[in-house]
Amino acid sequence: MKKENLAIMLDSLEEIAVYVIEQDTHRILYYNKRVQDVNGNVGLGKICHEVFRENCSECPLLTIGDRRSSHVIHYRTSFGEVADVMANRTLWDGEIPAYVITVIPHKLEFEESQGLEQIDRMYTKSLVTVFNECIIANLTQDYYVNCQKDRMWTQIPVRGRFAKENEHYARMMLHPDDWEAFSQFFSRDGMLRIFGEGKTQISKRLRRRMEDGTYHMVEFTAARIAYQMLIAVNLTNNSYHMIEHDRFHAKRAPESGNFDELIALGVSTVAPEFQEEFIRKFSRKSLLEKFAGGEKQVSMEMRQIGNDGEYHWNATQAVRIESPYTDDVLEITMTKDIDEERFRQEENFRKERAAKDLLEAALQKAESANLAKSDFMSRMSHDIRTPMNAILGIAALAQAHLYDPKRMREYLKKIEVSGTHLLGLINEVLDVSKIESGKFELEEAPFELNSLIQDTVSIVQPEIREKNQNLVVELDEKIHFSVLGDEQRFRQVLVNVLQNVSKYTGCGGRIRFSASEKADGGDQSGVYQFVIEDNGIGMKQEYLEHIFEPFSRAADSRTSKISGTGLGLTVVWTLIQQMGGRIQVESEYGKGSRFVITVSLLKDDAAKCSGGKG
Ligand code: ADP
């Protein structure tokens, strides 16, 4: 080929710049048209670094050493956004050692997508990974720590101001077409905005420069983490770097150092009951074993002593970081304060427990009420059958003696007694169901307490007399007798209790019935106390707790012989509650019982007076 043809050919390369410099002096020996077009200052004999000064910091000759050629990538040069700059050794004019410099616009080389995806998958599984780099940043306070400093060819300092270094990183390592996207998603402002909107992870595929100058598509991931302490650990080297330590550690560990020593210090701050587990999980040996066994993370919740001298709950997690570029086993330990979470958990647990207890109690109550009910049913059928049989039997007898008036009178009397008993039984059942379904209201009308007491006594008197019991009535004469209330219901209360007292006391037993007004009653209303006591069969303490429950009767051979429904005192208790009063029972088995009823009643005169005056 003729020399002219060669020159014409080189000048016709529109995109490729070619020039030759002398090895020793860097004088320009040749340049093609493209060089001239880009830089008008170029000229034969001029010194390269004087003409192309702005590119000298990344000159391929800086790294050529003894090699035949060298290659660098330049950004935003006058030769193009991204350019491959190469230097090749040659002999000029057959004798002068020289370099041929070529500047060619960069063509991206993409790895086979298969291979890329594999790397991506691996990385998204890791915590925070930027290809070979893993950077943990505190965005608010604008600082970061580069936790994979093993491969420092990117020249990112181990720690520093995040916003500045991050931008520098982008300019240095990313394809210029992706700078915009990087700044939108991964700049400090960008991430603060996106995380501020509630997102917890940002992932984008961007073109990143490799060591050989080519670009690979790489997935960048930023994940938001909220931990009070972050430690980057290289288990193989037994070294660590604290990234965040805004914690309550009483014994502050150095920011970086020997990992075994860090664990030894750590365990001394852990509550004794967690120390064994702490070592079993987080010692270097255990972590290496676990990670070698394929585990990706190790975690535990524990109590650790803080600056305030108190134990605090924290959750600690060691997450394995995968890197295809180093065989070292890397992990990040994260610790987060969970005092509040724990408190809430315990609170919930307590509430759940209480609800469960309540349910259980209700269930038990329902069960025992159910049991009592079926017990009652069998007793009721017995109680009803007895007078019913009597009535039918006597009726049959009466049929046979229709013309014997003496016998007929006797039979009719017996039928009347049984019928009355039956009616009483039915009435009580109806009463309870009426009260239980809330279909009744108390009246408020004037009545006299002394006549109420007299009436009560005369109703129960026949039974008392029949058993030859000794009844003493003590009525405090100073009582204010005229009151307002539901006399009929009140009478029912007193009769039921007095009847029981007689019923559960043997023949010749003693019964005392007293009424008094308590001194602190005041003018408008009076607090009255009625005491009804006996020296009868008494009750065991365990039964007293159930005495007012519907259908309950003391499990006692002596009681079972006495007819009853277990409803009388339920009626009493419910009525007294409605009246705003109170009933107390004391009893000693085999000795006797004492019922004390306390009610506040409006004084009738007082009501009239205040009405008149007003
Ligand atoms: P009952 O119809 O069975 O009398 P109550 O509700 O009136 O039903 O009374 C419940 C149970 O309380 C009785 O079955 C009895 O075991 C016990 N009881 C009530 N009053 C007395 C008393 N004065 N002395 C001993 N036990 C009593």
Side-chain angles (χ1 to χ4, degrees):
M1 195 197 300
K2 281 191 191 161
K3 226 177 179 177
E4 299 87 289
N5 281 344
L6 185 65
I8 289 166
M9 191 186 85
L10 286 170
D11 282 341
S12 63
L13 295 173
E14 275 185 20
E15 283 190 308
I16 302 175
V18 183
Y19 62 101
V20 180
I21 58 171
E22 192 181 16
Q23 183 180 305
D24 295 339
T25 60
H26 290 192
R27 273 188 309 125
I28 294 172
L29 303 174
Y30 165 82
Y31 55 89
N32 75 348
K33 184 166 175 292
R34 171 72 178 155
V35 178
Q36 167 91 61
D37 289 348
V38 170
N39 192 331
N41 286 334
V42 76
L44 291 176
K46 288 194 173 176
I47 310 294
C48 180
H49 50 258
E50 283 168 1
V51 180
F52 297 105
R53 181 158 284 142
E54 75 267 29
N55 298 331
C56 284
S57 64
E58 286 172 279
C59 177
L61 296 182
L62 293 175
T63 53
I64 195 163
D66 294 333
R67 285 178 293 137
R68 295 272 328 140
S69 66
S70 173
H71 172 204
V72 292
I73 293 189
H74 283 195
Y75 299 93
R76 295 251 159 107
T77 67
S78 28
F79 294 98
E81 277 291 328
V82 190
D84 285 306
V85 182
M86 275 168 289
N88 285 279
R89 289 182 195 278
T90 189
L91 276 182
W92 191 246
D93 282 341
E95 52 179 58
I96 307 166
Y99 299 113
V100 182
I101 310 287
T102 53
V103 185
I104 307 170
H106 187 82
K107 295 278 183 283
L108 292 175
E109 284 175 36
F110 290 102
E111 281 235 3
E112 235 185 302
S113 65
Q114 275 285 305
L116 271 181
E117 267 172 29
Q118 206 188 336
I119 292 177
D120 282 347
R121 266 202 302 278
M122 201 159 111
Y123 270 101
T124 37
K125 263 190 274 156
S126 299
L127 179 72
V128 183
T129 41
V130 180
F131 210 86
N132 191 25
E133 296 89 41
C134 168
I135 285 173
I136 297 191
N138 183 326
L139 293 178
T140 324
Q141 286 168 25
D142 190 20
Y143 71 86
Y144 75 93
V145 171
N146 181 2
C147 30
Q148 247 164 291
K149 60 183 172 67
D150 309 54
R151 289 182 54 86
M152 282 298 297
W153 70 274
T154 56
Q155 283 153 18
I156 302 173
V158 179
R159 56 186 67 213
R161 304 205 60 80
F162 178 74
K164 186 173 140 262
E165 289 299 336
N166 189 44
E167 180 155 350
H168 181 69
Y169 168 90
R171 295 289 135 133
M172 205 163 67
M173 304 308 297
L174 294 183
H175 189 269
D177 292 351
D178 288 342
W179 289 353
E180 175 81 46
F182 185 88
S183 127
Q184 194 184 340
F185 295 104
F186 296 105
S187 66
R188 176 170 174 247
D189 289 345
M191 287 197 279
L192 279 172
R193 176 178 48 79
I194 294 166
F195 290 143
E197 286 163 3
K199 283 220 175 68
T200 54
Q201 187 165 328
I202 310 166
S203 280
K204 280 278 161 299
R205 307 185 98 208
L206 303 170
R207 284 159 289 187
R208 185 202 186 282
R209 204 179 125 208
M210 299 291 105
E211 205 168 359
D212 63 3
T214 59
Y215 282 83
H216 285 190
M217 196 59 109
V218 162
E219 180 136 338
F220 284 73
T221 297
R224 187 177 176 170
I225 42 180
Y227 288 86
Q228 281 84 6
M229 187 165 74
L230 287 168
I231 310 169
V233 181
N234 183 325
L235 292 170
T236 313
N237 289 350
N238 191 17
S239 67
Y240 75 90
H241 250 285
M242 277 227 198
I243 298 154
E244 278 280 2
H245 42 74
D246 173 21
R247 291 236 349 124
F248 32 71
H249 277 142
K251 297 177 189 171
R252 268 270 161 84
E255 285 199 359
S256 57
N258 179 292
F259 182 69
D260 285 339
E261 283 168 16
L262 179 72
I263 289 298
L265 187 74
V267 76
S268 68
T269 64
V270 171
E273 68 268 31
F274 293 105
Q275 290 184 348
E276 184 269 333
E277 187 185 352
F278 182 84
I279 289 294
R280 183 155 43 79
K281 287 189 162 163
F282 296 119
S283 72
R284 193 161 72 93
K285 185 167 154 279
S286 317
L287 285 175
L288 281 168
E289 267 169 26
K290 289 199 162 82
F291 290 151
E295 278 178 51
K296 297 275 179 235
Q297 65 162 60
V298 178
S299 58
M300 97 178 252
E301 291 188 359
M302 67 187 114
R303 291 188 320 130
Q304 213 165 1
I305 202 148
N307 282 334
D308 55 3
E310 306 261 327
Y311 280 109
H312 295 274
W313 276 103
N314 75 50
T316 295
Q317 217 178 348
V319 181
R320 167 137 205 215
I321 301 292
E322 315 237 11
S323 167
Y325 294 95
T326 172
D327 289 335
D328 287 0
V329 183
L330 311 171
E331 60 104 335
I332 289 182
T333 297
M334 304 178 281
T335 298
K336 125 170 113 174
D337 184 351
I338 53 162
D339 267 350
E340 221 164 276
E341 216 171 287
R342 271 273 165 168
F343 178 76
R344 244 181 289 120
Q345 255 174 22
E346 269 159 29
E347 186 82 335
N348 282 348
F349 187 70
R350 212 182 43 72
K351 276 192 197 143
E352 238 166 63
R353 216 18 272 201
K356 218 175 128 210
D357 285 354
L358 221 82
L359 263 176
E360 254 165 26
L363 187 72
Q364 211 169 30
K365 211 167 156 187
E367 266 170 6
S368 71
N370 213 17
L371 220 91
K373 232 169 217 173
S374 52
D375 195 33
F376 161 78
M377 286 312 281
S378 67
R379 216 150 30 202
M380 265 297 270
S381 40
H382 172 261
D383 284 358
I384 290 174
R385 207 183 295 124
T386 314
M388 216 42 187
N389 278 342
I391 290 168
L392 292 175
I394 292 162
L397 273 177
Q399 298 269 3
H401 298 91
L402 279 176
Y403 305 106
D404 187 337
K406 202 176 152 235
R407 282 195 171 180
M408 277 304 272
R409 205 172 296 126
E410 193 189 319
Y411 293 151
L412 286 175
K413 181 70 199 159
K414 282 184 174 163
I415 287 173
E416 197 188 314
V417 169
S418 293
T420 310
H421 178 70
L422 208 54
L423 185 66
L425 206 66
I426 291 164
N427 278 342
E428 249 178 15
V429 173
L430 289 178
D431 256 351
V432 169
S433 65
K434 208 153 83 187
I435 294 169
E436 275 193 342
S437 61
K439 277 187 212 138
F440 100 114
E441 257 173 48
L442 287 172
E443 270 182 31
E444 195 162 279
F447 71 92
E448 298 294 317
L449 277 175
N450 45 355
S451 46
L452 170 79
I453 290 161
Q454 270 164 25
D455 289 352
T456 305
V457 170
S458 57
I459 291 170
V460 192
Q461 194 66 268
E463 293 159 49
I464 295 173
R465 207 168 283 144
E466 200 176 313
K467 289 180 89 173
N468 206 9
Q469 286 161 335
N470 173 13
L471 170 69
V472 179
V473 180
E474 286 171 13
L475 203 58
D476 185 349
E477 288 302 326
K478 292 193 291 289
I479 284 186
H480 188 101
F481 288 115
S482 305
V483 293
L484 287 174
D486 192 327
E487 185 180 12
Q488 198 203 328
R489 296 297 189 178
F490 212 146
R491 196 190 309 121
Q492 196 179 352
V493 166
L494 296 176
V495 166
N496 278 10
V497 177
L498 195 62
Q499 227 158 18
N500 274 353
V501 159
S502 167
K503 205 159 75 169
Y504 299 105
T505 300
C507 292
R510 281 196 314 275
I511 300 169
R512 200 173 76 91
F513 181 7
S514 72
S516 60
E517 185 181 346
K518 293 184 94 179
D520 57 343
D523 270 358
Q524 302 279 309
S525 60
V527 177
Y528 298 90
Q529 197 170 67
F530 303 85
V531 180
I532 301 171
E533 54 191 329
D534 62 54
N535 65 345
I537 64 171
M539 288 165 277
K540 290 180 180 163
Q541 288 307 303
E542 57 261 38
Y543 177 67
L544 285 182
E545 288 170 27
H546 303 285
I547 189 167
F548 298 116
E549 287 169 13
F551 310 112
S552 83
R553 302 194 75 203
D556 193 318
S557 58
R558 303 166 310 166
T559 314
S560 56
K561 282 190 217 109
I562 303 163
S563 97
T565 57
L567 291 172
L569 287 181
T570 308
V571 173
V572 166
W573 190 83
T574 317
L575 288 175
I576 290 174
Q577 290 298 307
Q578 292 255 335
M579 292 171 186
R582 185 154 55 102
I583 178 166
Q584 287 160 293
V585 197
E586 291 157 30
S587 188
E588 202 173 323
Y589 190 69
K591 290 255 172 78
S593 312
R594 178 180 150 98
F595 294 78
V596 181
I597 297 163
T598 315
V599 226
S600 166
L601 292 167
L602 269 183
K603 291 178 180 170
D604 188 28
D605 291 345
K608 271 183 203 148
C609 279
S610 67
K613 276 178 195 163

